[in-house]
Amino acid sequence: FPSHDTDLLQTEILQKISNAKTKGEKVELLKKFKSPALVSLLIWNYDESVESALPEGEVPYTPNDAPVGTEHTRLRNQFSVLYNFVKGGNDALAQSRRELLFIQLLEGLSAEEAGLLCLVKDKKLQTKYKLTKNAISEAYPDIVWGNRSKKKDK
């Protein structure tokens, strides 16, 4: 993956991309900030075949109010657990445990990144950030859209 400023939160990266005026600028920024975490979040949000395994709507968690950059885990380090929260990712996980894990994840993140993850869970990233699937596809031609969240054949 390209090198970039690893201190930025995913929310800060998405805000930079959102603020870009043209699709070309957005594509360049997507390329610059490409990471497994960002790609995972974008696929969860923009791929219609990915279904959240969590209830839609507000999540009953307590936002972490520690100043940004202090007592937080970061989405870029936590992306590897996201499969637990989509259908087909870890279907053996009890739903109550899945929801508890999600709440624990949210409470460990900064309030900003937790809010971002809640938007992604409900596929509402585009309500806050100006970013299209089209721009993502152009920046990341290696993403194959569709055929996710299927039951795995036994």
Side-chain angles (χ1 to χ4, degrees):
F1 286 102
S3 65
H4 50 73
D5 185 348
T6 53
D7 282 345
L8 292 178
L9 297 172
Q10 299 305 305
T11 45
E12 294 171 311
I13 291 169
L14 284 164
Q15 196 56 61
K16 285 178 183 288
I17 295 166
S18 184
N19 290 346
K21 299 286 182 255
T22 66
K23 181 181 166 195
E25 289 172 32
K26 289 180 196 287
V27 168
E28 283 312 303
L29 287 169
L30 280 163
K31 287 179 181 172
K32 177 180 176 184
F33 291 111
K34 184 175 186 179
S35 72
L38 185 61
V39 170
S40 299
L41 292 167
L42 295 174
I43 288 172
W44 187 358
N45 190 84
Y46 288 94
D47 192 325
E48 294 83 17
S49 73
V50 176
E51 294 176 51
S52 291
L54 295 160
E56 200 168 329
E58 202 127 330
V59 182
Y61 75 102
T62 307
N64 187 329
D65 57 6
V68 167
T70 56
E71 302 296 313
H72 302 117
T73 52
R74 289 176 167 245
L75 265 177
R76 70 156 193 257
N77 303 326
Q78 294 294 315
F79 75 93
S80 61
V81 303
L82 297 181
Y83 74 94
N84 286 303
F85 310 119
V86 296
K87 290 185 180 162
N90 185 359
D91 291 337
L93 190 63
Q95 188 62 22
S96 56
R97 180 88 182 117
R98 182 186 327 278
E99 292 175 23
L100 179 65
L101 287 172
F102 192 68
I103 288 169
Q104 289 171 338
L105 175 60
L106 293 176
E107 290 181 348
L109 295 168
S110 67
E112 296 81 3
E113 284 199 322
L116 166 64
L117 199 51
C118 288
L119 286 174
V120 168
K121 168 184 78 70
D122 292 339
K123 296 187 174 290
K124 293 185 172 166
L125 197 62
Q126 51 285 7
T127 63
K128 182 165 183 176
Y129 301 100
K130 294 188 205 85
L131 180 58
T132 63
K133 185 173 172 182
N134 201 318
I136 298 162
S137 294
E138 192 172 317
Y140 307 149
D142 51 328
I143 292 178
V144 179
W145 301 100
N147 288 325
R148 297 176 196 266
S149 283
K150 294 278 185 272
K151 288 269 184 239
K152 294 193 173 57
D153 292 329
K154 295 271 185 271

